[in-house]
Amino acid sequence: QVQLGESGGGLVQAGGSLRLSCAASGLTLSTVAMGWFRQAPGKERDFVGSISRSGASTTFADSVKGRFTVSRDNAKNTVWLQMSSLKPEDTAVYYCAVRAPIRTTGTNTIYYSPKSYDYWGQGTQVTVSS
């Protein structure tokens, strides 16, 4: 059974940093594409960033580009979302998601839509105060 567990959320002042982690069990993250999404109250779940199966490709939404990075530790089967220069508009519940290995056909393919992902974590709240 695939399980994803996020942690690292919290309350931070604008300009601060947080690092979210997503630990996986039941699959190996180096065999799948993985994404981060966020959802603010009353809004749709939006793409934040993604890392390809190979780990060689990452991409980010324009709203976070230059401030957020994604990294993966294959030995720990964990992915991190490093968030810097946080803004109040970054406030949301953040989710990690993975695309099933059988569907991850491209080594460096990036997936942007929530529908492209098969397994989701429970989410972690990030609140940025002004």
Side-chain angles (χ1 to χ4, degrees), residues 38-41 87-94 125-129:
R38 66 187 182 186
Q39 189 167 21
K87 305 175 181 180
E89 51 263 42
D90 295 319
T91 296
V93 176
Y94 283 70
Q125 176 71 47
V126 171
T127 303
V128 185
S129 63

Side-chain angles (χ1 to χ4, degrees), residues 21-111:
S21 66
C22 177
S25 62
L27 57 71
T28 302
L29 287 178
S30 61
T31 66
V32 298
M34 185 269 177
W36 286 95
F37 291 81
R38 66 187 182 186
Q39 189 167 21
K43 296 189 176 181
E44 295 184 348
R45 190 165 296 188
D46 291 332
F47 174 80
V48 173
S50 180
I51 184 168
S52 65
R53 185 180 70 185
S54 70
S57 297
T58 59
T59 193
F60 299 92
D62 288 343
S63 58
V64 306
K65 199 170 294 182
R67 301 187 296 121
F68 290 13
T69 60
V70 174
S71 60
R72 188 177 74 199
D73 186 327
N74 291 337
K76 296 182 178 180
N77 213 31
T78 299
V79 173
W80 287 274
L81 178 68
Q82 178 68 49
M83 307 185 294
S84 303
S85 302
L86 284 163
K87 305 175 181 180
E89 51 263 42
D90 295 319
T91 296
V93 176
Y94 283 70
Y95 299 89
C96 63
V98 299
R99 184 174 172 91
I102 195 171
R103 297 181 66 204
T104 306
T105 56
T107 301
N108 293 312
T109 304
I110 296 292
Y111 301 90

